[in-house]
Amino acid sequence: MSLHDVVVVGSGINGLVAAAELAGAGLDVCLVERNDRLGGFIASDELTVPGFVHDTYSSWHPLFVTGGAYAALGEDLARHGLTYCQTDDVVTASVDREGNAVIAYRDPARTAEGLRDGADRAAYLEMVDELVADIDLIGALLGTELRGPGLASVGAKMVRRRGRSGAESYVRQVATSGRNWLRGRFVGTQVDQLWAPWLLHAGLSPDSASGGLMIPLLAATMHGAGLPIVKGGQGVFLKAFEGLLAERGVTVHTGVEVDRIHPHDGRVAVVRAGDQRWEARTAVLASVSPTSLYDRLLPRASVPEPARVEAAAYRPGRRAMQLHFALNGPIPWTNPALAAVPLVHLSDGSGSTGIACAQAEAGLLPARPTVVVGAQHVLDPTRVPDGKALLWLQLQELPGELRGDAAGELDVSSGWTPGLVQGYVDRVLSLVEEQAPGVRELVVGQHEFSPVDLEAHNPNAIDGDPYGGSAELDQNLLWRPGPTTSRHRTAAPGVWHIGAATHPGPGLGGGSGHLVAQALITGTGTTVGTIRHGLEAATEGVRSRLGGLLHR
């Protein structure tokens, strides 16, 4: 048995962030990962053809570069090779079935200029301006333990700044769906077309509560931070973390699956994996699903019955697929403006995306899914040979239990067989071809990950849900993962819960790992002032950039 101050179970973004920050504060940290390499859903590989580097799962880093984890670790990660590719021009776009595209630029004023309705142009700038004015408080809310005094502190600051009615308006936004919030703010449908599909990346649908807050937050974040990707691929991100962890003395074990966390002697816990044992003097941080933590890893005696019941009832969200293609030439977009866009949604907004989500919730393969078309080579040409291109396609509207096909074309009776996967891939490529005719002829390599493949790689992706559980409001914010389990510090002495299933939820931000690391660092008496200052600087950077663009 080896002895450490902290043992971290799981090496997704939150585990990596927590291990690095805690070790940087002088604690002896051990990190244990079930897979043969670190990263969870962070990876890049030559999946299709040599010379084409695909981000295997996740890719875009706006949440990370605007969060507290990057503020605390960014300079050190840069020393270990982390460099971002960024755009100061076009960021994202959405194109409907008829080929009508709405494009967002880093400059919100330029984005607004592309809207047909004059009232919508003014309303768009007002939307961004309002969010930017309060981005420090919203950032603090997402970085605060909501069951502690932090929530009251943020709420009091909001009331002082906005008054009771102004603060209450944010509560209403949280209770409102993205579709209805957009209807109330804009005359036309272009802003809806542009931003409603982005709700999928937060684990939501256009009709989910809290979309009314997420729409302006997503828009302001991307206007302020763009869509940065790691130069050379996500593997470079992991190498930077590996270098930093080694520099800070973190003990790393890969290919080892933890089967028990046993609290004893007050705050001390033992982590067990087969015959291996690691004892933690201070804490164990588990980046796992609620079901795994409360029903498998912790002994029954250390788990209150309400927590066990909540964990058993924890719901996954919609499932996903990830498709990768190597192309023998540029994406042949009919609309030439899309050639410079790193991420395009094939959607008309809440209409088509809402229908696809409803079909998935009913157990059906959507007839016309929202297709996320990533083209990372637009920002980072080093990922492909000269003159070539890649497609990173993400599908976020798949059912859990397959009951049928909304189009009546595919046989789902045997589950995700290779034939069903390929049949759905063909449907998706047909949708891409509507806007990029001839793209099939350019394909020289293909690799796909079905929902079954996603869960096999990462058990936290229950049934293939990459967002660690439904983000509906009853299972989010104050109630993530549940009403009695929403504090990161569990009832088991010394055991903390982190990861996508905990506040602030899914996304490549490292929020829960950073939050818990701060709590532990403060508890050991080590100053956390520089980390807090870094978070303030990150949010102020977004505010100042957007303020300058909005008030030129």
Side-chain angles (χ1 to χ4, degrees), residues 123-124 126-135 138 141 158 162-186 199 204-220 471-473 476-477 479:
Y124 191 87
E126 183 181 6
M127 172 191 77
V128 178
D129 212 357
E130 286 176 358
L131 195 288
V132 169
D134 296 323
I135 198 167
I138 294 173
L141 184 69
M158 183 65 77
R162 292 290 185 187
R164 178 168 294 185
S165 63
E168 203 171 274
S169 70
Y170 278 109
V171 178
R172 292 187 68 208
Q173 283 181 243
V174 172
T176 305
S177 71
R179 184 198 298 267
N180 286 329
W181 187 84
L182 288 160
R183 280 176 174 169
R185 290 291 293 252
F186 299 99
L199 291 170
L204 302 173
S205 79
D207 297 299
S208 300
S210 74
L213 177 64
M214 291 305 300
I215 290 283
L217 180 59
L218 287 163
E472 294 287 341
L473 188 55
N476 204 6
L477 299 174
W479 306 286

Side-chain angles (χ1 to χ4, degrees), residues 57-80:
Y57 308 106
S58 62
S59 187
W60 317 93
H61 283 226
L63 293 180
F64 187 68
V65 301
T66 57
Y70 185 67
L73 302 172
E75 290 185 6
D76 290 316
L77 291 171
R79 286 193 299 102
H80 288 279

Side-chain angles (χ1 to χ4, degrees), residues 52-55 59-60 85-87 90-93 198 227-230 322-325 327 329-333 337-345 371-384 388-394 432 436 439:
F52 290 79
V53 178
H54 304 266
D55 282 343
S59 187
W60 317 93
C85 296
Q86 182 59 284
T87 175
V90 65
V91 179
T92 187
W198 271 100
L227 278 178
I229 60 172
V230 178
Q322 194 74 47
L323 310 179
H324 299 280
F325 300 91
L327 303 184
I331 303 171
W333 294 112
L338 298 179
V341 184
L343 190 148
V344 177
H345 289 102
V371 183
V372 186
V373 183
Q376 289 85 346
H377 63 282
V378 169
L379 298 180
D380 182 9
T382 68
R383 297 187 179 208
V384 296
K388 311 301 181 182
L390 56 79
L391 284 176
W392 177 96
L393 303 185
Q394 194 173 51
V432 177
V439 72

Side-chain angles (χ1 to χ4, degrees), residues 9 16 112 146 153 175 178 232 287 292 357 359 396 400 479:
V9 179
L16 292 172
L146 293 182
S153 174
S287 185
S292 181
C357 287
Q359 290 173 340
Q396 301 157 302
W479 306 286

